[in-house]
Amino acid sequence: MMRLAERLRCKGRLGLVPTMGYLHEGHLDLVRRCNRLADSTVVSIFVNPAQFGPKEDLSRYPRDFGRDRRMLEKEGVDVIFCPNAAAMYPRGYATWVDVERLTEGMCGRFRPGHFRGVATVVLKLFNIVRPHVAVFGAKDWQQAAVIRRMALDLDTGTRVVVAPTTREKDGLAMSSRNSYLTAKQRAEAPALYEALVTARGLVRAGEKNAEKVKQRALAVIRVGSSGKVQYVEVADPDTLEPVRRIAGPVVVALAVWFGRTRLIDNIVCVPR
Ligand code: AMP
């Protein structure tokens, strides 16, 4: 991969889209964005064991390489990079990337070690491919913030681009994990986006009290679904620090369990 990437980066701008596979239209939107920004696009498919907790869904995470390959071929991707875990973490592996502060709240609070695994694998991918540009999704807002920080702090020289969340017609953010949902859970899941839109409406209308925004979002989820809320947070979009009094743009982010399936989503809200 390093030799191939080196050849591509000599010919023009090289782009990278890191994924865990089981691709959907959201991933393809990132690929299309990358194709526009770069002359060649590498898509990595790697279900990174380092970012899953011991009780999480690593072993049942959905995989379908044949389908992924067909989808990527249609988009005109130059290289699909799918290393195995032993190649990425050989015996004796001992080096990790810890991004401070940004990883403390939101998902970081409930998934200890998750962002350490994410930052580490993304830095490794950046070092292997050495892309001029890498595209990530706003769907994983905290992840994008962590990677932006890591790329800046560790001088990777890669431009980190964050593309908007691609949604189903009913508002549900596309996710490989949506395939876990039962028909009933799938029917209820759009309540998350409704909650976020409600929150954005309040902020736009001038609500300054973050707790009130949070409570309204929670109420929408409770009324519209059987999902168990893990968190709803109102935070600064860049530092991810919790906000109590809304005086500028905020991100409202949430994580909700539907049975054994954990869904996340977020929305940026700008007060008038
Ligand atoms: P994953 O395969 O879930 O690790 O995601 C790979 C990349 O795709 C990450 O940068 C995600 O943020 C991004 N992504 C996942 N779902 C969406 C979506 N619905 N819209 C936009 N980007 C997404």
Side-chain angles (χ1 to χ4, degrees):
M1 183 68 247
M2 281 175 159
R3 272 202 296 273
L4 189 52
E6 192 53 40
R7 241 185 289 147
L8 292 172
R9 94 192 303 277
C10 287
K11 285 200 284 190
R13 292 188 63 75
L14 181 55
L16 171 68
V17 181
T19 82
M20 298 205 298
Y22 211 71
L23 303 178
H24 50 66
E25 202 59 27
H27 294 115
L28 297 185
D29 281 344
L30 304 189
V31 169
R32 289 167 196 141
R33 169 80 58 120
C34 192
N35 281 340
R36 288 198 295 275
L37 293 168
D39 300 298
S40 334
T41 294
V42 176
V43 174
S44 63
I45 297 179
F46 180 56
V47 183
N48 175 31
Q51 71 189 66
F52 287 80
K55 291 184 184 143
E56 292 182 355
D57 58 344
L58 173 63
S59 60
R60 69 179 187 123
Y61 196 84
R63 294 162 167 90
D64 187 343
F65 181 72
R67 178 168 159 275
D68 289 348
R69 183 172 59 189
R70 287 191 294 280
M71 291 167 84
L72 293 174
E73 278 170 357
K74 258 194 213 155
E75 300 301 327
V77 160
D78 298 84
V79 183
I80 304 172
F81 177 46
C82 41
N84 60 37
M88 291 297 268
Y89 303 106
R91 192 186 297 278
Y93 189 89
T95 307
W96 300 96
V97 180
D98 244 311
V99 178
E100 297 178 348
R101 294 191 298 282
L102 290 166
T103 54
E104 282 168 13
M106 297 191 198
C107 292
R109 187 143 50 90
F110 301 97
R111 303 187 71 187
H114 170 68
F115 289 112
R116 178 189 198 240
V118 169
T120 300
V121 83
V122 171
L123 181 64
K124 284 168 68 66
L125 292 169
F126 281 12
N127 285 335
I128 294 165
V129 177
R130 302 215 296 124
H132 296 94
V133 59
V135 186
F136 296 85
K139 155 82 177 7
D140 300 273
W141 189 270
Q142 188 172 19
Q143 169 173 282
V146 166
I147 288 164
R148 210 189 280 128
R149 189 74 246 173
M150 181 274 289
L152 196 66
D153 289 353
L154 297 182
D155 314 293
T156 63
T158 297
R159 176 179 161 213
V160 173
V161 170
V162 181
T165 301
T166 306
R167 299 181 178 282
E168 302 286 357
K169 281 203 185 72
D170 58 15
L172 176 64
M174 289 192 180
S175 165
S176 308
R177 290 190 170 98
N178 291 350
S179 65
Y180 296 146
L181 298 173
T182 64
K184 178 172 178 284
Q185 290 166 342
R186 174 63 189 81
E188 294 178 357
L192 307 194
Y193 183 59
E194 283 162 37
L196 293 174
V197 171
T198 302
R200 186 179 61 187
L202 286 175
V203 174
R204 280 183 177 167
E207 180 58 62
K208 299 284 176 237
N209 184 336
E211 189 55 34
K212 276 193 188 162
V213 172
K214 218 188 282 191
Q215 291 307 326
R216 282 287 294 278
L218 280 168
V220 174
I221 297 168
R222 282 205 202 99
V223 170
S225 83
S226 56
K228 300 267 176 294
V229 176
Q230 186 175 60
Y231 71 80
V232 176
E233 277 190 33
V234 180
D236 180 285
D238 299 315
T239 66
L240 307 185
E241 284 187 19
V243 165
R244 291 177 62 184
R245 191 169 169 74
I246 300 168
V250 291
V251 61
V252 179
L254 50 78
V256 178
W257 285 99
F258 285 87
R260 288 164 67 205
T261 305
R262 182 177 175 277
L263 300 182
I264 60 169
D265 201 351
N266 67 79
I267 203 164
V268 172
C269 315
V270 185
R272 67 189 151 108

